[in-house]
């Protein structure tokens, strides 16, 4: 029954084809196909994770060949975490996308393709196969970013495509170096050959490490290789921003950790302390620069995007420590960040759909106008800041404790003060939401509560930006600040549930840590 | 000491947190909303009081949820709450004073017709929950959790006014306290790393005494610095005076009791239950801390002298008094410890009284500056008497709470050989007199006509020479044709302008000249209105009746700072303000006196004795 | 290296350079097509006929057609100049990259050596020895492609499919509508 | 020096192609040329793999040909990578067509600016 393993990759891909073909019969049926596919994927990945809990890691070689000649798929605690995260997030975002769109069938084809690509990246045990899935993921992501109306998203998508391809190509070059040095591509086999025959200080291995890491840094969006990311997140449709901000960089960071520790192993970092130092330095720079840039943004989605640069700095910092506690922390933070950041993008989407507000300035007085959305957004923001006992705090605790254990004081300082850096940009938002009065933009009428204007002119809402394709722009004038009617229950539900989870899931982390502990121990041994 | 597994600590923390939901839900119905607040306050107080007998008998109530975070090696950090003597001291204090403050809040918020009252009461309940959580935390990590939540919950209260000043204060508040939080987190991490645990242990965690002294010192410094932010140790105090833009009940309960004392309480936990007095002494960290505290005591007192805004003066007084507690802890001498800890409740009662008085003056007369308060004793006799009593206590005069704690402190500092510290205490006592006495003196013994003879006040008088004082804020709402001095060039002088919290300021010069009787009658009407009438849901407290400007055209003397042109009118104690405000004032003042006269009859002293015995083995 | 090899490599580099410096986009595309053909021949010379065939069909064929379609649908900016203006920062980055890469040159095994890890690796010899009786194909490349690394090939198919879906999404079209 | 260099010159060609590709992606303002640069970049890497597989005097990895054979694995990888490359190119060109439809220009400098006014 281990045949379930390749099915985890195949299922979303097949569903993607079905979604596309369903468009022949009936347009706008893609969402339903995606829903069925995602539910099945959640069930499948949950079952796989259950088996990992029960029996330990699952190894499967496609086509019944033997390692290292065939391609191996591995599901251990960490990859199980990723595939479940991917499936659940995809399902959650679907709940949002039903009303918010985009709604075309090819869109959901690409959506499911992304799920398949990310799942493949998570479970593959072969370095070149990782590249193939990286490119599938990349293609799906570029396309999804470009799925928004208007030229802006196309420009962002093209930029992303060019930079992302360079990243993937450098990754491929890194694989080339490793292959030239060892003659094999299976991760476990590579680790063995590097350790026994080639040696950790060989130039080829160092070069391979450098290219693989830089290539994945591009995909993770570590400063200064993040340049594609803010515009891509900001210009994509809200559903897509949420999905890719939650998953693409996350799985890339997972791949980074996987490659560093499974292929190159801890011994490589020990033999090349400079490599670990450079990782840590890149992480620290990313945390600080990402936060500073986030503070400088006026567009909320761009701010959230830069926030991701900073948060992935924390993950990379944890990865550079080669310490069990920190590594668990990296995964807690990966999952936590995925949930919180994805939901923050969705919350920003709810706000934009309901009020048209997309810049920080336009968030003035949002607490009055949209209490539920604003409240969820604030809770998620605080969780992101790391206010205890939220998920954001727990992840940070593990990472920081790992830094203390290894005596990395400089990194510890960066990690704990990232709280303040994160606060700097989120407090600004929260202050505007709750502690400023809403001021209707100049030249608008019919928005002040006591302004007895002609009802019906509220079509002129506070919206200077493009709304999603289906935004019909009609809202009823209930004499209040302009509220669009097209925020569905599903859109609210996802955001609110995520906010609640962000607060409460921290309590479950210790259990999770027990679950991944053996995997992490093996990874770092 | 026996641990008793019980859900009571949890319930004590959760009651007020849970109350947030019904408070938010009943946002349209103020009376119902405030009922929830009162219910939660009484329940919290009842729960903490119910644990007193057990704790006095030597039990500790514990609620344990099991492991929350990993420690080092096999160690782990549990999410657990415990009600031991020290924790209960703080929990009991915060919850008792919340009951009083809740009543007062009703009078204050309605008296000023503040905006966003629902948010206010919800955030208040959240703050108390977090403060009680700080009190009942079982280990450093849980304490940190609630410490941070307290910051989050109080932020909306600081920024309540939504003015630029309030927002700036809020930002500063967040920056300072989260900065402190970062230091606490780092210190906690190091402690966990050194010992594998973070559990509070009477007398200190043993493993810490044997660990690397440099690391232990670093951890101690980080923790004390972090907690010192909320404890307003200089130079990390400056958020506190700025936070005085918050409504006065907030300043009273949170910025004189719950928030600032969570900082002090954190330091107490660190000194007594994490490191233990002995280890602190071995590490040589007591003296530097004592020096910082003594410095803060004296300097803050001197700064307080120069503040004309009453709340700012009180804030600096708080800065100074908090350091009494820190000094007591830092001296590591049993009696000094007892004095410091006892000063937690003593200062709380006295300072709360003082803030309540300031708030009552603000609501009734819109006066915030001391220089405008000459003769105000006529207008608000009960308030100013309470103010006087609390001031005496602050200065350490016998028969009021402050005396007992300062006595212990003084003895302790002499025993510790710190003559310098004893000197600082005495100097500060004198300064206390110097900055409180003029307020009381001028309130009762000077008339508003006497010019500039008050000692130690440098700011010019406002209101006295101005021919037609006008708030100037709502000029548009003036009745047409009112021949008042809207363009009065002096109006920038008024406290109202310097204190945007008085954002509902309305004054009609033509009305001000009305006979005192008429004004008096209106005032009575105002007092009546302030009594919530549950049966009358269309009563004046329904939101649609909140049109303060329109309602209060007839109650002019409420709306400008300083005495009215004819001088303060003389009022009886019962009519000077509403009972919603006077009641809490008198209760708090009574509490301060009771603590001063029969300290051993109140649970606090006995709790302190247990704490000191646990930490040092010395029975007082 | 033989003269033929040298001339071939020189041709590839020259056409590659030409794509970069020609200002006219059409010229650049034509140069790129020539480059692709050249590199296809390089693959054949390096004993990779399958790759050469694919490169000729896909690289020189399909890609060129796509480029031509694109400029037909958009614009072919024609300037007065023949060559692009030199972009110094870009040149700096490119030179830096080449310099960094060149530092690894000495560590790389010589091309064509029979003792390189690639040539001698267990994986290579396993494929050469077992492909026929395990996969039943005499072309080992096909055997590896279809059998041993069939999962990659599945991925490859998915990539092509993704490109199809992608173009539909990018143009915001429904399927065949 | 020459002895060490001569057998490895194909790798140097790889690096030069990567350099040219990088230059085009950064330095050329026309979007189509950037995509061409991307293709050059990728073929540079292909050359790296194929050169690594080459064995002097060996025949292609077809068992009917006499031994020794070149390593088949890199060829397989590059066959996959070529297809990936063309797929990426197709999507990139699709995006370019749409950008042109919306903005009427393919000049990157102009477009990066337009973005800020959006």
């Amino acid at each position: 029954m281990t045949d379930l393993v390749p099915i985890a990759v195949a299922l979303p891909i097949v569903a993607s084809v079905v979604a596309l073909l369903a468009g022949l019969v009936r347009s706008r049926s893609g969402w339903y196909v995606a829903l069925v596919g995602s539910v099945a994927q959640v069930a499948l990945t949950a079952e796989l994770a259950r088996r990992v809990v029960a029996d330990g890691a699952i190894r499967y070689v496609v086509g019944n060949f033997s390692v290292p000649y065939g391609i191996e798929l591995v599901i251990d605690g960490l990859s199980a975490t990723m595939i479940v995260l991917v499936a659940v997030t995809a399902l959650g975002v679907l709940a949002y996308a039903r009303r918010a769109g985009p709604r075309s069938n090819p869109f959901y084809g690409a959506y499911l393709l992304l799920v398949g690509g990310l799942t493949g990246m998570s479970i593959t045990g072969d370095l070149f196969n990782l590249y193939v899935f990286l490119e599938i993921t990349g293609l799906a992501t570029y396309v999804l970013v470009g799925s928004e109306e208007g030229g802006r998203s196309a420009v962002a998508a093209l930029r992303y495509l060019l930079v992302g391809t360079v990243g993937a190509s450098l990754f491929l070059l890194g694989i080339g170096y490793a292959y030239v040095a060892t003659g094999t591509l299976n991760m476990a086999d590579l680790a063995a050959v590097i350790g026994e025959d080639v040696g950790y200080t060989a130039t080829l291995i160092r070069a391979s490490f450098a290219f693989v890491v830089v290539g994945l840094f591009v995909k993770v969006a570590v400063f200064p290789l993040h340049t594609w990311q803010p515009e891509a997140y900001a210009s994509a449709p809200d559903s897509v921003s949420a999905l890719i901000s939650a998953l693409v960089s996350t799985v890339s960071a997972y791949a980074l950790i996987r490659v560093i520790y499974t292929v190159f192993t801890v011994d490589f970092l020990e033999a090349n302390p400079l490599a670990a130092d450079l990782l840590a330095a890149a992480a620290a720079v990313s945390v600080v620069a990402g936060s500073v840039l986030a503070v400088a943004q006026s567009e909320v989605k761009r701010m959230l995007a830069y926030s991701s640069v900073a948060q992935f700095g924390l993950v990379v910092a944890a990865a550079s420590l080669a310490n069990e506690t920190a590594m668990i922390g990296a995964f807690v933070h990966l999952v936590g960040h995925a949930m919180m950041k994805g939901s923050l993008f969705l919350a920003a989407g709810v706000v934009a759909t309901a009020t048209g507000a997309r810049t920080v300035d336009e968030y003035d007085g949002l607490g009055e106008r949209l209490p539920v959305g604003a409240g969820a957004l604030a809770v998620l923001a605080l969780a992101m800041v790391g206010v205890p006992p939220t998920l954001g705090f727990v992840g940070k605790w593990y990472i920081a404790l790992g830094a203390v254990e290894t005596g990395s004081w400089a990194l510890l300082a960066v990690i704990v003060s990232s709280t303040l850096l994160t606060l700097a940009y989120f407090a600004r938002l929260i202050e505007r939401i709750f502690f400023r009065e809403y001021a209707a933009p100049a030249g608008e009428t019919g928005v002040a509560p006591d302004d007895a204007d002609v009802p019906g002119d509220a079509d002129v809402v506070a919206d200077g930006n493009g709304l999603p394709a289906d935004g019909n722009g009609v809202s009823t004038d209930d004499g209040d600040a302009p509220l669009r009617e097209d925020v569905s229950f599903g859109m609210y539900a996802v955001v609110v549930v995520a906010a609640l989870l962000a607060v409460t899931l921290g309590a479950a982390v210790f259990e999770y840590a027990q679950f991944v502990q053996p995997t992490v121990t093996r990874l770092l041994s | 000491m026996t641990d008793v597994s019980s859900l009571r600590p949890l319930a004590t923390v959760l009651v007020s947190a849970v109350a947030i939901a019904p408070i938010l839900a009943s946002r349209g119905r103020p009376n119902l909303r405030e009922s929830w607040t009162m219910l939660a306050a009484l329940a919290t107080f009842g729960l903490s009081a119910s644990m007193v007998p057990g704790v006095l008998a030597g039990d500790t109530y514990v609620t344990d949820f099991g492991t929350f975070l990993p420690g080092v090696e096999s160690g782990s950090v549990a999410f657990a709450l415990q009600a031991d003597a020290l924790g209960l001291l703080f929990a009991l204090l915060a919850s008792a004073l919340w009951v009083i403050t809740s009543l007062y809040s009703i009078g204050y918020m309605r008296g000023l017709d503040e905006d966003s009252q629902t948010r206010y009461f919800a955030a208040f309940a959240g703050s108390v929950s977090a403060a009680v959580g700080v009190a009942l935390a079982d280990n450093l990590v849980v304490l940190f959790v609630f410490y941070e939540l307290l910051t989050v919950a109080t932020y909306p209260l600081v920024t309540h006014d939504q003015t630029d000043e309030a927002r700036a204060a809020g930002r500063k508040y967040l920056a300072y306290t989260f900065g402190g939080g970062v230091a606490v987190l780092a210190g906690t991490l190091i402690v966990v790393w050194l010992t594998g645990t973070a559990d509070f242990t009477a007398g200190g965690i043993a493993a810490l005494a044997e660990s690397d002294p440099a690391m232990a010192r670093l951890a101690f410094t980080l923790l004390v610095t972090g907690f010192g932010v909320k404890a307003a140790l200089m130079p990390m105090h400056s958020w506190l005076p700025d936070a005085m833009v918050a409504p006065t009940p907030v300043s009273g309960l949170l910025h004189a009791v719950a928030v600032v004392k969570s900082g002090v309480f954190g330091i107490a936990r660190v000194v007594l239950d994490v490191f233990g007095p002995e280890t602190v002494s071995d590490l040589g960290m007591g003296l530097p801390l004592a020096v910082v505290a003594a410095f803060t005591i004296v300097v803050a007192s001197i700064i307080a002298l120069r503040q004309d805004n009453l709340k700012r003066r009180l804030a600096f007084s708080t800065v100074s008094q908090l350091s009494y507690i820190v000094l007591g802890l830092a001296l590591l001498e049993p009696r000094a410890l007892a004095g410091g800890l006892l000063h937690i409740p003593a200062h709380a009662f006295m300072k709360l009284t003082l803030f309540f008085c300031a708030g009552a003056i603000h609501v009734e007369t819109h006066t915030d500056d001391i220089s405008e308060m000459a003769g105000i004793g006529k207008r608000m006799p009960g308030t100013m008497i309470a103010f006087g009593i609390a001031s005496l206590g602050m200065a350490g005069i016998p028969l009021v709470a402050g005396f007992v704690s300062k006595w212990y402190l003084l003895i302790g500092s002499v025993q510790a050989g710190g003559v310098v510290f004893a000197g600082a205490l005495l100097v500060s006592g004198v300064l206390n007199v110097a900055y409180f006495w003029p307020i009381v003196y001028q309130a009762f013994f000077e008339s508003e006509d006497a010019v500039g003879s008050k000692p130690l006040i440098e700011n010019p008088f406002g209101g006295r020479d101005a021919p037609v004082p006008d708030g100037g804020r709502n000029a548009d709402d003036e009745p047409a044709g009112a021949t008042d001095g809207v363009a009065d060039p002096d109006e920038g002088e008024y406290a109202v302008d310097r204190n945007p919290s008085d954002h509902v300021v309305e004054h009609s010069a033509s009305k001000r000249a009305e006979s005192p009787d008429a004004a008096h009658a209106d005032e009575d009407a105002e007092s009546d209105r302030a009594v919530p009438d549950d049966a009358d849901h269309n009563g004046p407290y329904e939101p649609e009746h909140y049109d303060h400007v329109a309602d209060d055209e007839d109650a002019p003397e409420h709306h400008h700072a300083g005495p009215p042109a004819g001088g303060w009118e003389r009022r009886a104690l019962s009519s000077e303000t509403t009972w919603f405000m006077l009641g809490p004032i008198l209760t708090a003042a009574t509490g301060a006196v009771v603590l001063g006269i029969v300290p051993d009859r109140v649970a606090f002293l006995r709790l302190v004795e247990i704490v000191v015995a646990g930490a040092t083995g010395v029975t007082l | 290296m033989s003269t033929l090899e040298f001339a071939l490599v020189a041709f590839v580099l020259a056409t590659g350079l030409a794509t970069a410096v020609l200002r006219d986009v059409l010229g650049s595309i034509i140069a790129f097509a020539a480059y692709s053909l050249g590199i296809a021949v390089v693959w054949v010379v390096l004993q990779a006929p399958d790759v050469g065939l694919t490169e000729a069909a896909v690289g020189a064929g399909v890609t060129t057609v796509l480029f031509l379609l694109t400029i037909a649908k958009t614009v072919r900016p024609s300037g007065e100049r023949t060559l692009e203006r030199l972009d110094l920062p870009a040149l700096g980055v490119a030179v830096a990259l080449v310099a960094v890469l060149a530092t690894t040159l000495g560590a790389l095994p010589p091309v064509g050596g029979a003792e390189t890890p690639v040539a001698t690796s267990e994986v290579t010899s396993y494929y050469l020895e077992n492909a026929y009786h395990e996969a039943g194909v005499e072309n080992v490349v096909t055997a590896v492609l279809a059998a041993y690394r069939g999962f990659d090939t599945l991925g490859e198919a998915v990539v092509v499919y993704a490109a199809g879906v992608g173009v539909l999404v990018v143009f915001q079209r429904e399927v065949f509508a | 020096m020459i002895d060490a260099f001569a057998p490895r010159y194909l790798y140097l060609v790889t690096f030069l192609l990567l350099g040219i590709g990088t230059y085009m992606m950064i330095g050329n303002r026309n979007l189509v040329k950037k995509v061409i640069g991307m293709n050059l970049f990728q073929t540079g890497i292909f050359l790296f793999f194929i050169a690594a597989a080459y064995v002097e005097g060996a025949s292609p990895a077809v068992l009917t040909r006499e031994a020794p054979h070149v390593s088949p694995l890199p060829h397989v990888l590059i066959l996959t990578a070529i297809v990936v490359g063309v797929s990426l190119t197709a999507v990139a060109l699709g995006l370019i067509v749409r950008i042109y439809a919306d903005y009427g220009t393919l000049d990157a400098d102009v477009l990066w600016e337009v973005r800020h006014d959006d």
Side-chain angles (χ1 to χ4, degrees), chain A residues 301-351:
Chain A
K301 280 174 76 178
R302 283 181 73 91
M303 187 193 92
L304 294 175
Y306 277 109
S307 160
S308 289
V309 174
Q311 298 298 325
F312 277 101
L314 285 181
V315 173
V316 175
S320 77
L321 288 169
N323 166 283
E324 271 186 34
T325 317
M327 192 59 74
I328 294 173
F331 277 83
V332 173
H333 200 62
L334 276 180
V335 174
H337 173 269
M339 213 186 71
M340 294 182 286
K341 186 56 62 65
S343 319
L344 277 167
F345 271 107
L346 292 183
V350 166
V351 170

Side-chain angles (χ1 to χ4, degrees), chain B residues 69-355:
Chain B
L69 290 174
V72 189
E73 305 295 322
S74 57
S76 64
V77 177
F79 197 95
L81 298 165
Q82 63 162 8
D84 63 350
L86 182 56
L88 194 59
L89 171 77
F90 186 35
L92 189 64
L93 178 71
S95 57
L97 294 182
W98 187 32
V99 176
I100 306 175
T101 310
S102 297
L103 282 170
Y104 181 83
S105 288
I106 298 169
Y108 183 89
M109 299 305 279
R110 294 185 176 191
L112 285 176
D113 192 15
E114 289 275 350
D115 285 336
S116 311
Q117 292 197 19
T118 305
R119 181 177 79 200
Y120 169 88
F121 282 106
F124 217 114
S127 304
V128 172
S129 173
V132 174
V134 167
L136 300 184
D138 174 72
N139 59 51
L140 210 45
V141 175
V142 177
L143 193 150
F144 173 73
V145 169
F146 286 108
Y147 188 77
E148 295 282 84
L149 287 176
L150 183 58
T151 303
V152 173
T154 43
Y155 168 70
L157 298 172
V158 175
T159 317
H160 180 85
D161 275 343
Q162 301 191 197
T163 57
D164 284 340
E165 188 192 4
R167 279 190 290 268
R171 278 195 290 271
K172 190 170 187 179
Y173 178 64
L174 279 187
Y176 271 69
T177 49
F178 265 103
V182 164
V184 172
L185 176 61
T188 306
L189 282 163
I190 297 177
V191 168
V192 170
W193 176 56
L194 290 174
T195 66
T197 177
D199 291 349
F200 296 136
T201 317
I205 302 171
L208 214 47
E210 288 134 33
S211 56
D212 179 9
M215 274 297 148
R217 282 196 194 98
L218 178 64
F220 185 86
T221 311
L222 283 168
L223 286 169
V224 168
T225 310
F227 287 122
V229 171
K230 273 190 185 156
L233 283 178
M234 281 186 171
M236 300 169 293
H237 68 286
S238 86
W239 63 270
L240 182 57
D242 286 10
M244 291 297 134
V245 296
T248 306
V250 175
S251 311
L253 184 62
L254 298 178
H255 297 138
V257 185
V259 171
V260 289
K261 276 174 187 138
S262 72
V264 173
F265 182 80
I267 295 179
R269 282 290 196 199
V270 169
V271 171
L272 298 176
D273 293 342
V274 175
F275 284 82
E278 210 169 308
T279 310
V280 175
S281 168
D282 290 347
L283 293 172
M285 296 309 287
L287 188 66
L289 181 58
V291 169
V292 172
F295 174 81
T296 307
I297 290 174
V298 176
V299 174
S301 299
I302 293 170
I303 298 176
L305 280 176
R306 300 176 53 86
Q307 302 298 318
D308 186 40
N309 182 297
L310 181 55
K311 279 179 73 181
R312 283 187 76 86
R313 186 175 286 195
L314 292 177
F316 276 102
S317 163
T318 303
V319 173
S320 167
Q321 299 283 333
L322 289 170
S323 278
Y324 279 60
I325 307 170
V326 177
L327 180 62
L329 294 166
L331 288 173
L332 306 169
E333 189 61 32
R335 279 180 204 285
L337 286 176
L341 293 175
L342 197 58
H343 204 57
I344 294 179
H347 173 251
F349 276 97
M350 298 183 297
K351 192 50 69 61
L352 195 63
T353 311
L354 294 173
F355 269 113

Side-chain angles (χ1 to χ4, degrees), chain C residues 1 5 9 12-13 16-17 19-23 25 28-29 32 35 39 42-43 45-51 54-55 58 62-63 66-67 70-71 73-75 77 84-87 90-91 93-94 97-98 101-102 104-106 108-114 116 118-119 123-124 127-128 131-132 137-141 144-145 149 152 156 159-160 163 166-167 170-172, chain D residues 4-20 22-24 26-30 32-33 35-36 39-41 43-44 46-65 68-91 93-98 100-101 104-106:
Chain C
M1 88 187 91
E5 220 179 300
V9 167
V12 164
L13 278 175
L17 207 58
T19 58
V21 297
L22 282 177
R23 175 149 176 82
V25 178
S28 190
I29 292 170
F32 178 68
Y35 164 86
I39 208 104
V42 171
W43 301 155
V45 170
L46 291 175
Q47 305 298 337
D50 310 79
V51 183
T54 311
E55 178 72 38
V58 172
V62 177
T63 311
L66 287 175
F67 277 120
T70 307
I71 59 162
K73 283 219 154 201
T74 58
V75 66
E84 287 268 4
R85 206 185 298 274
L86 191 65
D87 187 310
L91 187 66
V93 174
L97 178 72
V98 174
L101 285 164
T104 64
L105 198 61
L108 286 161
V111 176
T116 62
V118 173
V123 179
T124 300
Y127 286 150
L128 290 173
Y132 184 69
V137 191
E138 293 194 326
N139 186 336
V140 185
V141 173
V144 176
L145 197 67
R149 298 191 70 89
D152 271 351
E156 186 184 325
V159 167
V160 176
V167 171
V170 165
F171 289 121
Q172 288 155 349
Chain D
F5 167 76
R8 298 185 177 86
Y9 82 101
L10 276 177
Y11 290 122
L12 192 67
V13 175
T14 286
F15 301 157
L16 289 174
L17 289 176
L18 292 178
I20 296 174
T22 308
Y23 174 84
M24 287 184 77
I26 303 173
N28 282 349
R29 293 167 57 180
N30 187 291
V32 177
K33 293 193 70 178
V35 177
I36 296 178
N39 273 281
L40 277 177
F41 194 88
T43 42
F46 302 164
L47 179 59
F48 184 91
F49 276 86
I50 302 295
Y54 180 63
V55 175
E56 192 83 55
S59 49
V62 180
L63 294 174
T64 47
R65 312 282 289 267
H69 299 282
V70 297
S71 174
L73 184 53
H75 298 181
V76 175
L77 305 184
I78 296 315
L79 282 174
T80 306
I82 288 176
V83 174
V84 169
V86 75
S87 302
L88 284 163
T89 307
V91 172
L93 294 177
L95 286 166
I96 286 178
V97 170
R98 212 182 101 201
Y100 185 75
T105 180
L106 291 182

Side-chain angles (χ1 to χ4, degrees), chain A residues 151-239:
Chain A
R152 183 187 176 191
S153 71
V155 174
L158 182 65
R159 220 172 125 107
Y160 185 8
L161 188 148
L162 289 172
V163 179
T165 303
V166 171
S169 299
L170 289 177
F171 178 69
L172 181 59
L173 186 60
I175 296 174
Y177 273 100
Y179 178 66
V180 163
T182 62
T184 184
L185 289 170
N186 180 280
M187 291 188 189
D189 196 35
L190 267 168
V193 177
I194 293 173
E196 289 158 23
D197 302 340
V198 186
Y200 295 110
T201 51
T203 312
L204 289 182
I205 299 304
R206 284 178 176 167
S208 170
F209 181 85
F211 287 117
V212 164
V213 167
V214 170
L216 287 174
F217 268 10
V218 172
K219 291 283 180 178
V220 178
V222 172
F223 187 90
L225 302 172
H226 68 285
T227 49
W228 57 270
Q229 187 245 37
E231 193 54 22
Y233 286 9
S235 65
D238 296 324
S239 323

Side-chain angles (χ1 to χ4, degrees), chain A residues 89-176:
Chain A
T89 311
L91 186 61
V93 173
L94 268 188
Y96 180 91
R98 180 182 151 77
R99 181 73 73 87
R103 292 180 183 171
S104 77
N105 279 48
F107 172 81
Y108 288 104
Y111 189 99
L112 289 163
L113 210 50
L114 179 61
V115 174
L118 292 167
T119 309
M121 274 178 78
S122 304
I123 64 176
T124 188
D126 185 277
L127 206 50
F128 185 79
N129 194 238
L130 176 57
Y131 166 77
V132 172
F133 281 108
L134 193 69
E135 288 288 24
I136 293 175
T137 304
L139 263 172
T141 318
Y142 311 142
V143 163
L144 289 173
V145 168
S147 66
E148 178 70 295
E149 298 266 319
R152 183 187 176 191
S153 71
V155 174
L158 182 65
R159 220 172 125 107
Y160 185 8
L161 188 148
L162 289 172
V163 179
T165 303
V166 171
S169 299
L170 289 177
F171 178 69
L172 181 59
L173 186 60
I175 296 174

Side-chain angles (χ1 to χ4, degrees), chain A residues 412-430:
Chain A
L412 175 70
V414 172
I415 292 163
V416 292
S417 48
S418 74
T419 304
L420 284 178
L421 293 167
T422 314
L423 183 73
Y425 49 85
F426 277 128
R428 192 170 68 122
L429 202 60
I430 290 174

